[in-house]
Amino acid sequence: MNRMIAAASAAVLSLTVAAGAAVAQDFRALAQQDLQAAHDALAANHPAAVIPGAPSEAFRSWIDAGLTDAQGKVGRVNSGDSHAYLMRYYANGFRDSNIAIRPTYEGLGPFFATSWPGVTTAWRNGEYVVSYVKPGVRNVPPLGATLVKCGDKTAAQLAEERLDRWEGDLTTEAGRVRTAPYLLWNRNNPFTGGVPSLCTFKVGRRDRDFQMQPQPADAASLEAAYRATVYTPGANPLSVETVDGRPWINVHTLADDAGWDAFYAAVEAQLPAIRGAQGLVIDLRGANGASLNATGKGYGLANRIWTPEFTVSRQPEAGSITYRATPANRQWFADTLARMQADPRFVTESGPVIEQTQAIVAAFDSALAANQPTFTMPGRPSVADTGAANPVAGPVVVLVDSGCTSGCLDTLDLLTRLPNVRLAGSVTAEDSIFIEPTVLRLPSNYAELTYGHKAWTTRQRGNDAPFTPAQGLAYTGSATDEAAVRAWVGALFR
């Protein structure tokens, strides 16, 4: 929603002080300080603190209770990794996809563990299933075995204890998918322990016990295990190819620096085939939409395929936006406006955005002067049908998975409104109605708090609501078996 404003001011509140990793630190004190600072910033500025309704309930129930919970764990913080985990725990407890506390240094990557049992699990059809076994490791459950329990904890209890809030949000399907590889790994989190010992798996029709023996964690094996479990885009995430005689448009990223000019040129060069009667596939698996221009990138693709004249009247209605009137939130927009006005190209090309931002700053001033907690601004009005003909003759399958996030969901808001488009694959990520990021460096300099500073209360897609493919369009096989995925998609055109 209006990510141009965010793009023009990406560095306004994000400082660039590097963490002094070589200097001995009292991480317990830093964690205590950062937790309190994050709590205070959110309580003072987040819209959910003052906007009534269901989307705000999780925020209000966690802001203080979660702080108390996290502070009770501070005594076990003994390193940068454990500091990062406790910050993530507090942020994920809000159950808001746009609230995050991330390290300011290069932290744990997706392929990291200090030890593991040589097997990895995937979340598949409501169960944790063995998705990878390291070659040469003996006496471990086979591929396809289903985890029943470890010790006296069921698989669900184990996941809640070891993964929820620490690695992601297990109240969402996407969160379960993305965190599943770590269920049996030791990720150097002192709050959850190491590799579980005795675990029971269902193998065929029988329950069998396996002693989980910690294995050395070599990077190559961990990466192979992760890639065998969660769909991970390859080295060329933007491309156009032909599969089973029809165009297959790969959009596995929405990052600003992904080579969009060349990709758009490739799309435009193949438009006659893309618009042909045989149909096409738009593959949005893994399309992380967290970049500030992600929505614009997705809309740019749709406009090239269908033309702006056809899509403009089919875009979802913007509705209105509610702002929390605080000095800090006003300052974000004032700084944004200053950056816009200092950029000659932006002044030339984006005058309406500057005017809109000036109006928002003026509205902040009026609300603050009147001591009003919030104010509301109208969004873009809907556009009547232009009568433009649909240039796409064939059926369209849009393929998605849990990696489709943020701006990818905004793109789906448009694509799913276009004729002859079917959404297929698996459940996407979710997106809070509390949008547009404020990024605030926390006192330790080891972490940054990110939160949405305005509320899109009238958004037609609900708060933290994912896209779910309809019956018959849900893929239930292995997400990383590319041949199987493509064969399944091909069958949808028959």
Side-chain angles (χ1 to χ4, degrees), residues 113-133:
T114 56
S115 62
W116 67 314
V119 300
T120 299
T121 57
W123 177 253
R124 191 177 300 160
N125 303 321
E127 297 177 313
Y128 287 99
V129 178
V130 175
S131 56
Y132 181 84
V133 177

Side-chain angles (χ1 to χ4, degrees), residues 315-363:
Q315 295 177 18
E317 186 175 349
S320 58
I321 301 293
T322 299
Y323 299 77
R324 185 171 179 191
T326 71
N329 287 343
R330 179 207 180 275
Q331 191 62 47
W332 189 94
F333 281 94
D335 290 341
T336 296
L337 179 61
R339 290 175 61 84
M340 291 176 178
Q341 293 172 327
D343 183 337
R345 180 173 178 179
F346 198 90
V347 170
T348 301
E349 298 179 353
S350 303
V353 176
I354 292 176
E355 292 177 6
Q356 180 188 31
T357 309
Q358 289 172 326
I360 292 171
V361 172

Side-chain angles (χ1 to χ4, degrees), residues 25 45 54 66 69-70 95 103 110 121 153 160 246-247 263 269 294 314 338 343 372 391 393 404 434 447 487:
Q25 298 286 348
N45 297 294
D69 183 347
R95 309 304 191 188
T121 57
K153 293 183 172 62
E160 182 175 359
R246 64 181 56 88
F263 171 65
R314 292 163 177 83
D343 183 337
Q372 295 175 351
C404 175
F434 301 106

Side-chain angles (χ1 to χ4, degrees), residues 283-285 398-402 404 408 412 423-426 428 467 469:
D283 189 347
L284 290 169
R285 290 176 297 161
V398 177
L399 187 61
V400 295
D401 70 350
S402 64
C404 175
C408 180
L412 293 182
L423 188 73
S426 55
T428 69
F467 281 90

Side-chain angles (χ1 to χ4, degrees), residues 163-231:
L163 302 177
D164 193 30
R165 297 190 178 102
W166 302 113
E167 299 288 357
D169 181 0
L170 264 62
T171 66
T172 71
E173 180 73 8
R176 288 188 178 276
V177 170
R178 294 197 296 261
T179 62
Y182 309 134
L183 182 57
L184 303 177
W185 295 12
N186 179 356
R187 294 257 291 166
N188 200 30
N189 180 355
F191 304 100
T192 59
V195 174
S197 53
L198 184 67
C199 295
T200 302
F201 290 80
K202 182 175 288 296
V203 182
R205 296 183 178 181
R206 295 178 50 209
D207 285 358
R208 293 179 54 190
D209 293 337
F210 294 88
Q211 193 72 38
M212 299 285 101
Q213 297 291 342
Q215 305 291 319
D218 64 287
S221 294
L222 293 175
E223 180 172 353
Y226 188 92
R227 290 183 179 277
T229 304
V230 177
Y231 175 80

